[in-house]
């Protein structure tokens, strides 16, 4: 199958995201019940929400700073291949990437054969030299 590696990576990503979600819910419940031993339920809920909001803000700031530092180096390099170009474009313009993903998903639902051809184009190696 042409896109088997791509499908395996997508499945692994979704499994990891699901496991992270379950872990965060379990951590939130643990923090809430630990705070419930000390403070009333309303305050425990507010403190748990505040804690997770702070964690989300810190993670967002770390990624924003990391992204700002990497932009200067990435602009000099020209990506090779269709997949690398698309990834570079979607990293630069995430809203365009989301819109393209939704449109592509709709088109691929209507015509599955087209999805196979596109997957083959993205997974194909660049042809620097041809066989004879």
């Amino acid at each position: 199958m042409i896109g088997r590696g791509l499908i395996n990576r997508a499945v692994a990503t979704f499994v990891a995201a699901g496991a992270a979600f379950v872990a965060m819910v379990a951590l939130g419940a643990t923090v809430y019940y630990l705070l419930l031993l000390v403070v009333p339920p309303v305050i425990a809920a507010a403190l748990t929400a505040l804690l997770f909001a702070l964690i989300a803000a810190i993670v967002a700031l770390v990624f924003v700073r990391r992204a700002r530092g990497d932009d200067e180096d990435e602009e000099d390099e020209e990506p090779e291949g269709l997949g690398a170009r698309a990834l570079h474009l979607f990293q630069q313009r995430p809203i365009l990437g989301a819109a393209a993903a939704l449109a592509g998903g709709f088109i691929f639902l209507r015509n599955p054969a087209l999805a196979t051809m596109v997957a083959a184009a993205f997974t194909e190696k660049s042809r620097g030299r041809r066989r004879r």
Side-chain angles (χ1 to χ4, degrees):
M1 180 174 238
I2 294 173
R4 188 166 189 88
L6 182 65
I7 292 172
N8 287 340
R9 287 182 188 156
V11 168
T13 301
F14 289 132
V15 167
F21 176 73
V22 169
M24 291 305 289
V25 169
L27 179 64
T30 303
V31 169
Y32 173 74
Y33 285 116
L34 285 175
L35 287 173
L36 196 59
L37 296 173
V38 181
V39 295
V42 174
I43 296 175
L47 288 175
T48 303
L50 178 66
L51 175 69
F52 279 87
L54 287 174
I55 290 171
I58 290 170
V59 169
L61 287 175
V62 166
F63 280 107
V64 166
R65 285 189 182 161
R66 197 177 286 173
R68 283 186 189 163
D70 293 342
D71 283 343
E72 297 171 2
D73 297 336
E74 290 179 7
E75 289 179 10
D76 298 336
E77 299 176 10
E78 182 67 30
E80 292 184 21
L82 184 61
R85 284 185 194 165
L87 179 64
H88 182 72
L89 177 67
F90 295 155
Q91 285 175 343
Q92 296 296 321
R93 297 187 175 97
I95 294 177
L96 176 66
L102 288 173
F106 178 74
I107 291 170
F108 295 153
L109 284 174
R110 304 286 289 171
N111 189 356
L114 183 63
T116 305
M117 291 188 297
V118 170
F122 273 98
T123 58
E124 185 176 289
K125 301 283 184 189
S126 62
R127 297 180 185 176
R129 53 187 164 137
R130 295 183 179 224
R131 293 186 212 173
R132 289 190 169 187

